[in-house]
Structure formats: C-alpha cells, structure tokens
Amino acid sequence: MSVSNLITIDGPSGSGKGTVCHILAKKLQWHLLDSGALYRILAYAALENNILLTDSEKLADLALTLDVSFVSNGSGVDTLLAGKNIGDKLRTEVVGQAASEVASIELVRSALLARQKAFLQKPGLIADGRDMGTVVFPEAKVKIFLDASAEERAQRRFNQLQDKGFNVSIAQILSEIKERDYRDRNRAIAPLQPADDAFVIDSTELTINEVVEQILTLTELKLKISTE
C-alpha cells in the first residue's frame, strides 16, 4: 500500500496522543497502532513472570512470543494479552516506569520493530508512540510531535487515576513524569525527539478537538485527501 496513508504521532506520556489517535483512527477509518501499549504489555508480562527488567535476552524472547491484539470496543480499544483484557493494568505508574526501562533496551526494540511495521495496512494507519516518525516509519508524510508541559501532563494523569479510584499524589506523578521524560529523551537508542520534518503541537492550552482539527488540516494539505 502507499505509505502516504500514514500519520505518525509521537510525544511524551500525557500529551494526549492516545485520545487524539483514537479519534483520528475512528474518523478516518484507519488502523491504529499504540506502540506504547506494546512496551507496557511487555513490561507487565515481565513483571508477572518475574523477569528482571535488566535481562535483555529474556525480555527480547518474551517480546517475540507475546500473544497481543487490539480490539475496538466502540468507545475505545481493548488491549488483549492471551485473550485477556489487561487495559487497566497497563496504566499504573509501576508498569509505566517499567515500560520506559525496557524501551531503552536495543534487543527489545529490535524484537518489536517488525511487529509494529506489520500494522501498516490498507486503508491507512495512525501510529502512536515515541519513535514512530523517527525510527519505525521515517517515510511518513504526516509526522506530528505532540507535547505539553510536565505540570499539565501530571494534572491530566492525576485526574485519570483519581477517576479510576486510585489514591495518588500529584507531586509524585510529576516527579515520575520528569524522570521518565529525562530517560526517554536521553536514551542512546531511539530517544524521544521530534523528527526533523515533524509538525510540533503544544497541547498544554489546547482542547483535544483543537489538536485533532490541526492534524486533520495538515493531513489534507500533505496527503491531498478529504478528511470530511
């Protein structure tokens, strides 16, 4: 298929990537790749199987054998591991931190690369992650880097976790976000950064709909298609 039917959206945790990508995939009727979920699934499975997050070979082997699928539920996407919905378990800070750690391992990234590329199918793909436009799909014509201040991202995360009944500290969340940002932006392998030809959007003061509209406008301009 033509690689023109591809939008990559990279950025740090809490910038709104997941929600924006789901809306775009639904509106355009394109496939969705949540690459961050793949790393979270791997981290969750490693923790469940008592695999050390520093054991690169066992983590890479696990990455190659994970039985993973994403299934639309109408309002979002269910994440299934061996047929079991583990979506809520992937959003804890423990799993998030573990995912950031395993994502810095070259063997792990190599093991998951082919799996990510396989999501590019007709009629098109919305790829959500941290290195979609720089490493996985550098050929994409529409590349977005979605950002927001650490304070705003911490507040969003705090609200999400409180709504789900978790007792959390916003100060701790902010500290963890800053720590993860530093690790993601400074890792030797595929650091979190905008592609040279990416369009950067700061969502700190924007609504989700405003972000979506900016991306749709850019998509129409770059791909010469109608998004109506």
Side-chain angles (χ1 to χ4, degrees):
M1 64 166 288
S2 170
V3 295
S4 63
N5 297 320
L6 171 63
I7 300 173
T8 64
I9 302 184
D10 292 314
S13 176
S15 58
K17 301 192 310 296
T19 302
V20 167
C21 287
H22 172 67
I23 292 173
L24 288 170
K26 185 175 181 180
K27 181 174 180 61
L28 297 174
Q29 292 297 293
W30 290 7
H31 298 286
L32 173 64
L33 164 60
D34 183 350
S35 66
L38 290 179
Y39 288 101
R40 285 177 176 268
I41 292 166
L42 177 60
Y44 170 79
L47 294 172
E48 287 291 292
N49 289 280
N50 297 314
I51 295 175
L52 294 177
L53 300 181
T54 54
D55 193 332
S56 58
E57 291 189 0
K58 284 188 177 180
L59 288 169
D61 287 342
L62 182 61
L64 291 171
T65 58
L66 287 174
D67 177 11
V68 178
S69 59
F70 301 107
V71 180
S72 176
N73 60 21
S75 61
V77 178
D78 289 332
T79 303
L80 306 182
L81 176 61
K84 182 180 179 181
N85 190 348
I86 60 167
D88 287 343
K89 295 178 180 179
L90 300 181
R91 295 303 170 184
T92 66
E93 288 304 309
V94 171
V95 171
Q97 290 292 333
S100 182
E101 290 183 46
V102 300
S104 66
I105 300 173
E106 186 173 6
L107 277 177
V108 169
R109 302 195 74 86
S110 296
L112 290 178
L113 183 60
R115 177 168 286 188
Q116 293 176 80
K117 285 182 175 293
F119 277 82
L120 182 54
Q121 299 176 14
K122 293 181 180 180
L125 176 68
I126 309 294
D128 167 0
R130 284 173 169 75
D131 63 348
M132 296 296 98
T134 55
V135 176
V136 182
F137 299 112
E139 71 275 21
K141 293 182 179 179
V142 179
K143 299 177 184 178
I144 307 296
F145 190 87
L146 188 58
D147 208 348
S149 70
E151 290 74 18
E152 174 62 21
R153 290 184 283 127
Q155 185 64 57
R156 292 172 184 174
R157 187 70 179 139
F158 176 79
N159 293 342
Q160 287 176 344
L161 291 172
Q162 276 211 322
D163 288 345
K164 292 182 178 180
F166 292 99
N167 184 19
V168 291
S169 160
I170 192 168
Q172 181 181 351
I173 292 174
L174 178 58
S175 175
E176 290 171 345
I177 281 177
K178 288 181 176 179
E179 178 185 339
R180 190 184 312 170
D181 282 354
Y182 181 83
R183 184 166 58 245
D184 288 347
R185 294 178 191 272
N186 291 280
R187 66 191 180 207
I189 306 299
L192 172 64
Q193 61 186 16
D196 291 339
D197 53 348
F199 184 70
V200 179
I201 300 177
D202 188 329
S203 70
T204 303
E205 302 292 337
L206 299 177
T207 66
I208 289 294
N209 286 338
E210 287 171 333
V211 173
V212 169
E213 285 305 313
Q214 284 194 36
I215 295 173
L216 289 174
T217 298
L218 182 67
T219 299
E220 291 187 347
L221 179 66
K222 291 280 191 177
L223 302 186
K224 310 299 182 185
I225 63 173
S226 173
T227 60
E228 294 298 323

